[in-house]
Amino acid sequence: MKELTKKKGIILTSKDYKENARLLTILTEDGLENAILRGANKINSKNKKFTIIPVEVEYVRTISTLATFTEGYITNNFINLKLDQNKSLIYLAIVEKILAFTDSIDDKLQMYEFVNKILTLLDQTKYPIVVLYLFEIKLLYLIGIAPILNSCVICHNSSDDCGFSLSLGGIICNSCMIKYPIDYDANTTKVFKYLYFIKLDKVDEKFLELIDQTKLSFTKLIDSYYEKYIDFSSKVKKVIRSVN
Ligand SMILES: [Zn+2]
């Protein structure tokens, strides 16, 4: 008999594989792993439920180079996310970054818990775009390319009405703005800082609503930042833009 191990994870993607099987990509507390789900494409397969992503599962798999998913128990189905087209698109943008960056993040457990909280928020909220902002902004810290937001990049004074400079990767105070042009004004920068610094445990629907009510969009700032500091441009978000 093959050796087995029990794990928990979030099944992020599911692709056709040989002979009616599916290849699952699962985010676990140890990072990303692939597992084959046999027979999942057969009509009446009881395994089909694991392929309607995302699903949080406790599962058993073989210990081998390419593991086989032998059985599982669904602990969260993210049903609201799946029924909402806009949330589903945002989910794809989130997964794209999880797949791109998880390997480079040292603390895999922290990454797992972070993603789990983000997907739970996305599932429950009426303000999915704000959850995307939260995810993308907080991920910068985990990847190790966090912007400097505590004090002015130039003079190191901390003040409340700083603007944001993309080229300098942080905030610029009022006095330094004369010499160093900013890309985003004090108001946008302030809300950006809220999103960066708030603890995920403290994020509730009220907070997401407040951010939504500012009517500020962080899409351009975030996308430009990822492009400039880690040379990443989102294919999914490009598709979303062309659809809209
Ligand atoms: Zn300054």
Side-chain angles (χ1 to χ4, degrees), residues 76 78-81 87 118-125:
N76 191 349
F78 303 104
I79 194 73
N80 304 308
L81 189 165
K87 286 185 181 183
I118 287 289
L119 293 183
T120 305
L121 283 170
L122 182 62
D123 185 58
Q124 315 266 306
T125 189

Side-chain angles (χ1 to χ4, degrees), residues 152 154-156 173 176:
C152 173
I154 304 299
C155 71
H156 309 296
C173 75
C176 295

Side-chain angles (χ1 to χ4, degrees), residues 103-187:
D103 286 351
S104 64
I105 293 169
D106 291 332
D107 193 338
K108 304 285 197 268
L109 177 61
Q110 190 184 14
M111 178 63 177
Y112 176 79
E113 284 169 351
F114 170 61
V115 169
N116 205 351
K117 276 180 197 152
I118 287 289
L119 293 183
T120 305
L121 283 170
L122 182 62
D123 185 58
Q124 315 266 306
T125 189
K126 273 189 255 167
Y127 311 99
I129 187 71
V130 183
V131 176
L132 178 62
Y133 296 154
L134 262 178
F135 169 74
E136 293 180 307
I137 292 171
K138 288 185 161 295
L139 185 66
L140 294 173
Y141 170 80
L142 291 174
I143 305 172
I145 53 162
I148 296 157
L149 297 174
N150 279 317
S151 59
C152 173
V153 189
I154 304 299
C155 71
H156 309 296
N157 280 335
S158 47
S159 108
D160 264 350
D161 31 61
C162 289
F164 187 84
S165 159
L166 191 64
S167 56
L168 295 170
I171 57 174
I172 309 283
C173 75
N174 255 329
S175 356
C176 295
M177 267 179 217
I178 304 156
K179 271 201 197 155
Y180 301 89
I182 54 166
D183 303 292
Y184 296 92
D185 65 11
N187 190 32

